[in-house]
């Protein structure tokens, strides 16, 4: 028989008992929002009173402060991220500590109230104790912004966005920590279990991102979209991803906010954790309190889940340690030693945490054996290159296009939305080709030995292959300078390739400005402050014309000077190595006529 105790009374009673948690939340969010706004941001009057600022500089600084304030209110600052994360975990750990006490579990078991109702009342009260202080302090931050005259309509709109996202992640983080508390019987294992839930996805992501880089010489360390799901399976990592995207979106005008992927993945995690919590509340045995794991059947599974990434990470650590010591004989002996050592030590430590009994240090043999086999199989897969990744050479009939380059820009926005040169090249592979690439690849693979590239000198390059099935494969190689130069001569004749490596060619001269100095190779910088805006635009137009028409050999034939360019609109650098040599005749002549260079 269960009692019909009102929800209102249950929630208010829990809130009264846990006012200390609300006080901690209030203090935490006061530091993250109103105090942060007071300390970090200058007011409009303070900016206007800076004597060495002219009217244009005042507007620029004020605009920049407003953008940063908008970022804070949208949740694009690190302090709100840490505050929400910490308060959510503390709420679950402190609110559900009664699960780890036999006396309290016996008392609750004797009450005429269903466990699910108690859990739900505890969770709702914790949510309210989070949200009320959070809301008050967010409103106080808006008041601070208004008093400093940096509050904008966009900042107000961003506030609602930030509140919604923070509330969403608070709930998911709370449910994740609650599931860990329900699975365990001691507060220490509950906290450790939470950390496992939050870290297991990023840990596996890190391993599968790092292992091929360590063992496969031709592997390109680029992000794989499907692997991002492993990161976002952790609410903490997904929250960090969303925070970073919001920070960039709120502080850079004209950028679209794309948080759908991490939000959907974290939502799925939250649903799973919510269902798991309510199932565990019903099934959790009272005698599970004060035991490390409330469900003995989960001990082996959890142990295997922890040991798998831990052992591989231990192998990588010892491999790095061996490399740091400067091994005389290169190899992977340290890697295998690290795996075995971490497997044994980790297994013992986990069993000690479970049982605190030295007689049980070799318990759960089946789960440990399965985990060991999985670890050894994964290590062998990468160390011995069981799929022949490095030895792969595409056949002529398998490839429709192939290109190679030695420079990647990670900071340009190309006309089609590509963010770097590799992405742009991939999107336009059908327009490019170099017949000498396959010959170059064969030369590179022939020079690849067990200890690395067997070639004196050479150039490190990236090769892209467009296969007949439409897929694009990428590899890194070390090739002879002669072979690389031959491919570049072919590719430089193709306009799109040159524009990819020199994004300046894709921008109208009036939308670009030159940095205030040029650099002279081996000497001091040369000032360009004497050039007017019109003269800079003319100089850029001349340089673009020559950069687009000179041959590969003429462009790379020595460097006399270099220049850096920025977009006028957002002041971002236009990446590329923009050098000047004697073949840029018109550009050198113009700079000489204007007195920048000596005749």
């Amino acid at each position: 028989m269960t009692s019909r105790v009102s929800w209102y009374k249950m929630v208010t009673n829990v809130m009264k008992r846990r006012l200390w948690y609300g006080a901690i939340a209030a203090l935490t969010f006061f530091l993250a929002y109103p105090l942060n706004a007071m300390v970090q941001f200058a007011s409009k009057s303070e900016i206007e009173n800076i004597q060495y600022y002219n009217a244009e500089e005042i507007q620029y600084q004020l605009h920049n402060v407003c953008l940063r304030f908008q970022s804070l209110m949208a949740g694009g600052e690190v302090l709100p991220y840490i505050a929400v994360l910490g308060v959510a975990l503390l709420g679950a750990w402190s609110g559900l500590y009664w699960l780890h006490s036999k006396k309290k579990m016996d008392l609750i078991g004797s009450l005429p109230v269903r466990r699910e109702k108690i859990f739900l009342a505890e969770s709702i009260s914790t949510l309210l104790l989070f949200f009320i202080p959070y809301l008050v302090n967010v409103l106080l931050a808006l008041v601070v912004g208004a008093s400093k005259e940096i509050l904008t309509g966009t900042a107000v709109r961003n506030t609602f966005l930030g509140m919604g996202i923070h509330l969403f992640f608070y709930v998911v983080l709370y449910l994740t920590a609650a599931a860990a508390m329900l699975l365990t019987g001691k507060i220490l294992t509950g906290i450790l279990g939470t950390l496992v839930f939050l870290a297991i996805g990023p840990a596996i992501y890190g391993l599968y991102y790092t292992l091929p880089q360590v063992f496969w010489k031709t592997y390109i360390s680029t992000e794989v979209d499907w692997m991002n799901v492993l990161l976002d399976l952790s609410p903490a990592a997904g929250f960090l991803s969303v925070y970073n995207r919001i920070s960039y979106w709120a502080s850079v005008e004209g950028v679209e906010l794309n948080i759908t992927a991490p939000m959907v993945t974290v939502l799925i995690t939250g649903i799973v954790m919510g269902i798991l919590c309510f199932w565990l509340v019903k099934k959790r045995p009272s005698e599970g309190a004060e035991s490390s794991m409330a469900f003995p059947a989960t001990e082996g599974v959890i142990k295997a889940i922890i040991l798998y990434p831990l052992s591989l990470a231990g192998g990588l650590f010892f491999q790095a340690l061996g490399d740091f010591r400067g091994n005389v004989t290169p190899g992977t002996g340290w890697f295998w030693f690290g795996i075995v050592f971490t497997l044994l030590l980790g297994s013992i430590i986990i069993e000690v945490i479970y049982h605190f009994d030295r007689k049980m240090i070799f318990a759960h043999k089946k789960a440990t054996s399965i985990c060991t086999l999985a670890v050894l199989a994964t290590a062998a897969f990468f160390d011995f290159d069981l799929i022949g990744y490095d030895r792969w050479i595409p056949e002529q009939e398998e490839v429709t296009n192939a290109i190679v380059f030695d420079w990647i820009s990670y900071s340009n926005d190309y006309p089609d939305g590509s963010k770097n040169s590799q992405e742009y090249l991939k999107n336009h592979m059908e327009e490019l080709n170099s017949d000498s690439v396959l010959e170059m690849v064969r030369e590179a693979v022939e020079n690849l030995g067990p200890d690395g590239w067997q070639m004196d000198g050479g150039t490190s390059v990236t090769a892209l292959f467009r296969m007949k099935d439409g897929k694009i494969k990428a590899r890194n190689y070390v090739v002879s300078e002669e072979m690389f130069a031959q491919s570049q001569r072919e590719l430089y004749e193709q306009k799109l390739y040159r524009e990819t490596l020199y994004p300046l060619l894709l921008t109208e001269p009036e939308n670009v400005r030159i940095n205030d100095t040029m650099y002279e190779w081996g000497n001091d910088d040369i000032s360009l402050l004497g050039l007017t805006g019109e003269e800079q635009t003319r100089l850029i137009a001349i340089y673009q014309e020559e950069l687009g028409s000179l041959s590969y050999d003429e462009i790379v034939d020595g460097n006399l000077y270099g220049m850096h360019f920025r977009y006028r609109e957002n002041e971002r650098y236009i990446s590329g190595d923009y050098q000047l040599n004697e073949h840029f005749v018109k550009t050198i002549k113009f700079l000489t006529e204007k007195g920048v260079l000596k005749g």
Side-chain angles (χ1 to χ4, degrees):
M1 180 176 177
T2 57
S3 173
R4 295 189 178 182
V5 179
S6 71
W7 280 105
Y8 176 77
K9 287 183 178 180
M10 291 183 67
V11 171
T12 52
N13 284 334
V14 174
M15 290 182 69
K16 289 176 183 178
R17 176 168 52 84
R18 302 194 62 214
L19 281 176
W20 64 269
Y21 172 71
I24 291 178
L27 176 61
T28 303
F29 289 118
F30 177 76
L31 296 174
Y33 277 104
L35 185 61
N36 186 15
M38 284 187 281
V39 173
Q40 182 181 173
F41 302 106
S43 67
K44 181 180 179 182
S45 59
E46 288 173 336
I47 295 174
E48 291 175 342
N49 289 333
I50 298 178
Q51 296 181 357
Y52 54 84
Y53 280 174
N54 56 34
E56 183 178 349
E57 184 66 19
I58 288 173
Q59 289 302 313
Y60 173 78
Q61 292 294 337
L62 183 59
H63 179 66
N64 185 47
V65 169
C66 289
L67 284 178
R68 286 168 45 224
F69 184 71
Q70 290 169 190
S71 178
L72 169 66
M73 302 314 297
E77 290 273 337
V78 68
L79 284 180
Y81 167 80
I82 295 174
V84 173
L85 176 64
V87 171
L89 298 183
L90 178 63
W93 292 339
S94 63
L96 300 175
Y97 77 97
W98 49 269
L99 290 166
H100 300 160
S101 169
K102 287 184 178 180
K103 290 182 179 180
K104 288 184 171 60
M105 285 298 294
D106 290 339
L107 175 62
I108 289 171
S110 66
L111 295 175
V113 183
R114 295 172 63 186
R115 283 187 186 180
E116 302 94 294
K117 191 171 184 179
I118 296 174
F119 173 76
L120 199 55
E122 188 74 50
S123 301
I124 291 173
S125 64
T126 305
L127 177 63
L128 291 173
L129 288 170
F130 151 77
F131 188 70
I132 293 172
Y134 172 84
L135 178 61
V136 170
N137 282 286
V138 166
L139 294 176
L140 285 175
L142 290 176
V143 172
V144 172
S147 68
K148 290 177 175 284
E149 299 182 81
I150 58 175
L151 180 63
T152 62
T154 302
V156 175
R157 291 194 298 272
N158 286 1
T159 301
F160 290 102
L161 171 67
M163 289 172 60
I165 289 174
H166 284 165
L167 183 61
F168 169 78
F169 277 101
Y170 178 89
V171 171
V172 178
L173 286 163
Y174 176 87
L175 290 173
T176 302
M181 294 292 284
L182 286 161
L183 279 168
T184 57
K186 293 183 179 181
I187 187 64
L188 175 61
T189 49
I191 293 173
L192 293 176
T194 304
L195 298 181
V196 168
F197 278 150
L198 296 181
I200 193 67
I204 295 176
Y205 171 89
L207 286 172
Y208 283 96
Y209 186 81
T210 305
L211 284 167
Q213 296 182 52
V214 172
F215 294 106
W216 294 346
K217 308 298 187 300
T218 64
Y219 182 78
I220 294 180
S221 57
T222 55
E223 290 189 7
V224 182
D225 290 340
W226 68 265
M227 284 181 61
N228 291 335
V229 175
L230 291 173
L231 278 176
D232 298 336
L233 283 175
S234 162
F239 191 12
L240 181 62
S241 175
V242 170
Y243 144 70
N244 285 327
R245 297 183 191 202
I246 289 176
S247 179
Y248 180 70
W249 165 76
S251 57
V252 179
E253 294 181 298
V255 177
E256 292 186 5
L257 178 61
N258 182 15
I259 59 175
T260 303
M263 291 289 284
V264 170
T265 306
V266 173
L267 175 62
I268 294 171
T269 301
I271 292 172
V272 171
M273 289 299 174
I275 295 172
L276 180 62
C277 282
F278 281 95
W279 184 81
L280 290 173
V281 166
K282 291 182 179 181
K283 299 295 183 180
R284 191 179 192 275
S286 298
E287 58 271 20
E290 299 183 13
S291 299
S292 291
M293 300 297 293
F295 299 86
T298 64
E299 290 180 358
V301 176
I302 298 298
K303 179 181 180 180
I305 291 174
I306 296 173
L307 273 183
Y308 178 76
L310 185 66
S311 302
L312 290 169
L316 289 173
F317 171 78
F318 278 94
Q319 177 70 20
L321 187 64
D323 292 342
F324 175 76
R325 290 182 65 252
N327 288 325
V328 177
T329 304
T332 57
W334 279 96
F335 174 69
W336 289 98
F337 168 78
I339 285 177
V340 174
F341 176 80
T342 310
L343 262 171
L344 290 173
L345 183 62
S347 178
I348 292 172
I349 291 175
I350 291 172
E351 293 298 345
V352 169
I353 292 174
Y354 279 167
H355 306 291
F356 290 96
D357 184 353
R358 59 185 177 84
K359 296 180 181 179
M360 299 291 290
I361 60 175
F362 296 112
H364 303 103
K365 295 182 178 63
K366 182 177 180 180
T368 305
S369 299
I370 293 173
C371 176
T372 301
L373 289 174
V375 169
L376 296 178
T378 303
F381 177 82
F382 288 103
D383 185 15
F384 303 124
D385 191 7
L386 298 181
I387 61 172
Y389 187 94
D390 283 339
R391 294 290 171 183
W392 177 75
I393 300 176
E395 298 295 334
Q396 183 74 48
E397 59 273 12
E398 297 177 332
V399 179
T400 58
N401 303 79
I403 59 173
V404 64
F405 54 96
D406 68 339
W407 179 77
I408 302 176
S409 163
Y410 290 100
S411 58
N412 281 300
D413 294 323
Y414 287 88
D416 66 347
S418 301
K419 299 301 181 184
N420 58 66
S421 59
Q422 183 167 314
E423 183 181 350
Y424 191 62
L425 289 172
K426 284 183 178 180
N427 292 338
H428 298 274
M429 278 286 290
E430 68 279 359
E431 304 174 42
L432 297 166
N433 196 41
S434 174
D435 294 332
S436 60
V437 172
L438 293 182
E439 183 181 350
M440 182 189 310
V441 170
R442 292 188 184 93
E443 176 196 71
V445 172
E446 289 173 1
N447 284 284
L448 179 58
D451 299 328
W453 303 100
Q454 309 298 312
M455 180 183 295
D456 294 330
T459 301
S460 179
V461 301
T462 297
L464 299 179
F465 307 95
R466 186 181 182 87
M467 313 305 290
K468 287 287 178 65
D469 60 5
K471 294 181 180 180
I472 294 178
K473 294 187 177 182
R475 293 289 194 276
N476 277 335
Y477 298 102
V478 173
V479 301
S480 65
E481 295 181 1
E482 295 77 11
M483 289 294 296
F484 176 68
Q486 177 57 34
S487 72
Q488 293 301 282
R489 291 186 186 98
E490 297 174 6
L491 288 165
Y492 263 67
E493 296 300 318
Q494 302 171 62
K495 183 172 178 287
L496 188 138
Y497 182 81
R498 193 180 299 224
E499 291 175 342
T500 305
L501 297 187
Y502 302 112
L504 176 68
L505 297 173
L506 293 166
T507 309
E508 295 297 326
E510 57 269 19
N511 297 329
V512 179
R513 78 169 183 85
I514 309 175
N515 267 16
D516 295 335
T517 57
M518 293 170 54
Y519 53 91
E520 184 177 4
W521 294 97
N523 294 294
D524 297 331
D525 291 344
I526 301 169
S527 175
L528 291 169
L529 293 175
L531 294 179
T532 65
E534 291 184 1
E535 289 172 338
Q536 280 202 28
T537 301
R538 177 59 182 155
L539 171 62
I540 292 167
I542 294 173
Y543 182 75
Q544 283 179 327
E545 178 187 351
E546 293 193 293
L547 184 64
S549 61
L550 293 176
S551 68
Y552 167 76
D553 291 308
E554 290 172 328
I555 290 176
V556 302
D557 183 22
N559 296 317
L560 300 176
Y561 310 97
M563 293 184 289
H564 289 152
F565 300 91
R566 293 178 183 266
Y567 296 106
R568 287 188 181 274
E569 182 179 358
N570 55 27
E571 289 295 307
R572 290 182 62 194
Y573 276 110
I574 302 176
S575 294
D577 188 11
Y578 296 99
Q579 66 270 17
L580 280 172
N581 57 39
E582 60 185 10
H583 299 289
F584 289 81
V585 177
K586 296 180 182 178
T587 305
I588 297 293
K589 179 181 178 182
F590 182 86
L591 290 169
T592 304
E593 291 175 350
K594 298 303 178 182
V596 175
L597 300 178
K598 296 179 181 180

